[in-house]
Amino acid sequence: MKNKNVAIVGATGAVGREFVGCLESRGVPLASLKLLASARSAGQKQTFRGQELTIEELKEDSFNGVDIALFSAGSGISRQYAPIAVKAGAVVVDNSSAFRADPAIPLVVPEINAHRLKDHKGIIANPNCAAITTLVPLWPVHQANPVRRLIISTYQAASGGGAALMEELEQSTRAYLDGKPYEPKVVKHPYAFNLFSHNTAIDMATGYNDEESKVIKETKKIFEDDKIAVSATCVRVPVLRAHSVSMTFECERPITPQEVKALLAKAPGVRIVDDWANNYFPMPKDASGQGDVLAGRIRKDLSDPSGKSISMFVAADQLLKGAALNAVQIAELL
Ligand code: NAP
Ligand code: 3JN
């Protein structure tokens, strides 16, 4: 990326700020960096490598001279501006759901399907964060012994709802501890010391919310396997940052926890945290601020006498591997 002019769309957001952080911490050599957001933020300053950059308002001509555009300003903005960026000559890595289901657009997790990058026609989609967290540690297993059925329950942090939801968790927790009333502004339910079903719309026909439907569809697309049966229950928990996932999967043939552990020990992007003696397993606190998916509680699913099923618990920083880091890894590969 040495001679590349890079733009970040949504640079003031929870993901956008991590884009800047990833480019900085990974020492990605760029020619220039342009920070774009709404008119509300235009003129604000952000520091990149000790240099003060001014946030610019996103406009149709924002992409002139831009080689790589990293988008995280929601699917509406992506639908409107990604084609404009491509027309101006940029390659777009898009963090939203806008293009994920489009069969002509690669949906990429570098540890799984980097080979799909060669198919891009200007836009590459970054998967949903709960999908990335689940699939990075599942992929090495799937390759060795195909996963036929997957059941997950997620424990999703406030960070998945953006900067405003992180603030709501902090403020409502403070109010609760101070014995003061707090009227929820971002989500419908009290967040402090509570949890609730993921705050996306429910499909009245199936009872699944949007987040669950995304994970189900994206798993099939990323694994290039329509036969894999997936069910998901996505839950928002009062954790500030980093998503966790409890999963049980059934493989084609019998598989042992030892085999899974051996596969994960050499899997890129996975770190095993599985200390049975000390009851130390993946936690959002440990996952926060680092790029690996932590995997542990790797054990036999005792409900399946065939020996083909395993349960495990994973955690990953949703803002990093779930969003910004995955997109920056894609940009580096480009
Ligand atoms: P956020 O903290 O609410 O940030 C939203 C960003 O979008 C801000 O920079 C905001 O700019 C900008 N924005 C909003 N309206 C805009 C407009 N009209 N023109 C230009 N910029 C505009 O949300 P976030 O958590 O960073 O997430 C942003 C998006 O990234 C999500 O909507 C989602 O599509 C995607 N995302 C993906 C994943 C994933 O799993 N891959 C995870 C999280 C998020 P202002 O500050 O100026 O308002
Ligand atoms: O809720 C979470 O933990 C992850 C949220 C992701 C998200 C939030 C708003 C809009 C998405 C996404 O990436 O699927 C979108 C979207 O682009 O649809």
Side-chain angles (χ1 to χ4, degrees), residues 8-19 36-42 44 46 55-59 71-78 80-81 94-98 100 126-132 156 158-166 211 214 218 243 318-324 326-327:
I8 296 176
V9 180
T12 51
V15 176
R17 286 174 185 279
E18 296 298 331
F19 273 142
L36 300 163
S38 77
R40 294 179 289 276
S41 311
Q44 286 177 15
Q46 255 187 55
I55 310 284
E56 296 172 40
E57 181 185 354
L58 173 65
K59 292 191 177 143
F71 273 66
S72 69
S75 55
I77 295 288
S78 295
Q80 186 180 348
Y81 286 93
D94 180 38
N95 245 300
S96 83
S97 58
R100 289 182 195 146
N126 197 75
N128 172 273
C129 47
I132 296 178
Q156 296 183 225
S159 53
L165 190 58
M166 295 172 84
E211 185 79 355
K214 285 176 193 173
E218 293 178 27
H243 288 3
Q318 167 272 332
L319 292 175
L320 291 175
K321 187 57 193 165
N326 196 73

